């Protein structure tokens, strides 16, 4: 089977959407074999336990460097023959220890239309900037901050006078819909990568 590991640090609404899709057999046959989490108190941990998914928990402060904990994560991934790393609100930069071996096999979801508003608090950045159109992006992870090749994007049109809470809710809604679809494309071998150009090969439903 196609085996994925989800990395998350927080609420885990995207993790939940992926776990629910897997349970409904809507993840292209992919199986979530591990949650990697850097925050023992994060709500996502309870979600994984509820779904019967193994958790690798760690605290960055227990390690001398990022490379040190990433080597441990890499060993956990190798042990479980993970095919794809799915970052879902994992709020840490990755080093070459994980980025290099998983080049083309690690994806991230970001709550803006990249390359606009990379980094933290992207929804707030876009709102404060006054954009009329925003959205969410799924991209491959490279060494930069939200810079890797784009796989899928969906838009949210900001209504006149709309508040940030409402925009946030709508962006989270499209994320939870698009991320399981993108993972299912990977699991079905429909993703072709040529430099920055990512193509989704013919699929019954290839719209995120
Ligand atoms: C999501 O909106 C995701 O796009 C964002 O964190 C949220 C996690 O929510 N990620 C980033 O901002 C990455 N730079 P969740 O824990 O409920 O899935």
């Amino acid at each position: 089977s196609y085996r994925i590991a989800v990395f998350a640090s927080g609420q885990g609404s995207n993790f939940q959407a992926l776990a629910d899709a897997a349970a409904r057999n809507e993840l292209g046959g992919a199986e979530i074999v591990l949650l990697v989490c850097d925050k023992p108190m994060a709500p996502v941990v309870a979600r994984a336990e509820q779904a019967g998914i193994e958790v690798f928990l760690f605290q960055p402060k227990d390690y001398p460097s990022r490379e040190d904990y990433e080597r441990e994560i890499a060993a956990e991934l190798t042990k479980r023959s993970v095919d794809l790393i799915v970052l879902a609100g994992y709020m840490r930069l990755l080093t070459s220890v994980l980025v290099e071996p998983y080049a083309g096999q690690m994806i991230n979801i970001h709550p803006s239309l990249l390359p606009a508003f990379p980094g933290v608090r992207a929804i707030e950045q876009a709102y404060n900037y006054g954009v009329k159109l925003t959205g969410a992006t799924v991209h491959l992870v490279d060494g930069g901050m939200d810079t890797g090749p784009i796989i899928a994007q969906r838009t949210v049109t900001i209504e006149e006078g709309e508040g940030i809470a409402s925009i946030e809710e709508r962006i989270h809604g499209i994320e939870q819909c698009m991320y399981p679809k993108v993972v299912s494309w990977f699991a079905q071998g429909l993703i072709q990568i040529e430099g920055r150009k990512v193509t989704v090969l013919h699929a019954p439903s290839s719209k995120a």
Side-chain angles (χ1 to χ4, degrees), residues 8-16 44 47 88-91 108-112 118-123 136-137 145-146 171-172 175-176:
S9 308
Q11 278 304 321
S13 60
N14 281 291
F15 171 84
Q16 192 69 60
V44 68
R47 292 181 189 265
Y90 180 70
M91 303 308 276
N108 180 44
I109 191 158
H110 183 77
S112 76
V120 295
R121 298 173 176 271
I123 300 173
T137 303
M145 162 89 91
D146 303 321
I171 290 179
H172 290 150
E175 286 187 333
Q176 290 153 32

Side-chain angles (χ1 to χ4, degrees), residues 4 6 13-23 27 32 86 88 179-180 183:
I4 73 172
V6 179
S13 60
N14 281 291
F15 171 84
Q16 192 69 60
L18 292 162
D20 291 349
L27 217 48
I32 306 175
V86 178
Y179 218 8
V183 169

Side-chain angles (χ1 to χ4, degrees), residues 135-157:
T137 303
V138 177
H139 64 91
L140 287 163
V141 176
D142 64 10
M145 162 89 91
D146 303 321
T147 53
I150 290 172
I151 302 163
Q153 290 187 302
R154 280 194 57 180
T155 57
V156 163
T157 302

Side-chain angles (χ1 to χ4, degrees), residues 155-168:
T155 57
V156 163
T157 302
I158 297 175
E159 307 297 339
E160 218 57 61
E162 184 172 6
I164 191 164
S166 160
I167 299 166
E168 226 147 30

Side-chain angles (χ1 to χ4, degrees), residues 14-201:
N14 281 291
F15 171 84
Q16 192 69 60
L18 292 162
D20 291 349
R24 288 194 306 264
N25 234 318
E26 289 172 11
L27 217 48
E31 184 190 350
I32 306 175
V33 297
L34 188 65
L35 170 72
V36 173
C37 181
D38 60 327
K39 296 234 168 63
M41 302 306 286
V44 68
V45 175
R47 292 181 189 265
E49 284 163 0
Q50 189 68 33
I53 293 166
E54 262 195 282
V55 183
F56 177 71
L57 258 181
F58 69 99
Q59 290 201 277
K61 66 172 172 59
D62 296 340
Y63 298 83
S65 74
R66 274 195 289 165
E67 284 80 359
D68 286 285
Y69 65 71
E70 286 191 3
R71 271 188 279 274
E72 238 172 71
I73 295 171
E76 297 295 326
L77 301 176
T78 305
K79 205 172 12 175
R80 293 177 183 78
S81 306
V82 165
D83 298 295
L84 181 74
I85 296 177
V86 178
L87 306 182
Y90 180 70
M91 303 308 276
R92 293 187 174 274
L93 270 179
L94 294 153
T95 76
S96 57
V97 168
L98 285 172
V99 172
E100 275 170 20
Y102 289 92
Q105 297 171 271
M106 189 190 314
I107 61 178
N108 180 44
I109 191 158
H110 183 77
S112 76
L113 293 176
L114 290 172
F117 312 115
V120 295
R121 298 173 176 271
I123 300 173
E124 195 178 317
Q125 287 186 57
Y127 177 77
N128 292 339
Y129 197 92
V131 298
K132 305 294 191 191
L133 184 69
T134 184
T137 303
V138 177
H139 64 91
L140 287 163
V141 176
D142 64 10
M145 162 89 91
D146 303 321
T147 53
I150 290 172
I151 302 163
Q153 290 187 302
R154 280 194 57 180
T155 57
V156 163
T157 302
I158 297 175
E159 307 297 339
E160 218 57 61
E162 184 172 6
I164 191 164
S166 160
I167 299 166
E168 226 147 30
E169 190 181 308
R170 293 203 292 136
I171 290 179
H172 290 150
I174 61 171
E175 286 187 333
Q176 290 153 32
C177 177
M178 79 193 287
Y179 218 8
K181 275 186 193 150
V182 172
V183 169
S184 79
W185 300 338
F186 271 90
Q188 294 169 275
L190 298 173
I191 299 287
Q192 187 180 293
I193 304 161
E194 291 167 281
R196 285 210 65 91
K197 293 276 172 285
V198 179
T199 310
V200 184
L201 300 175

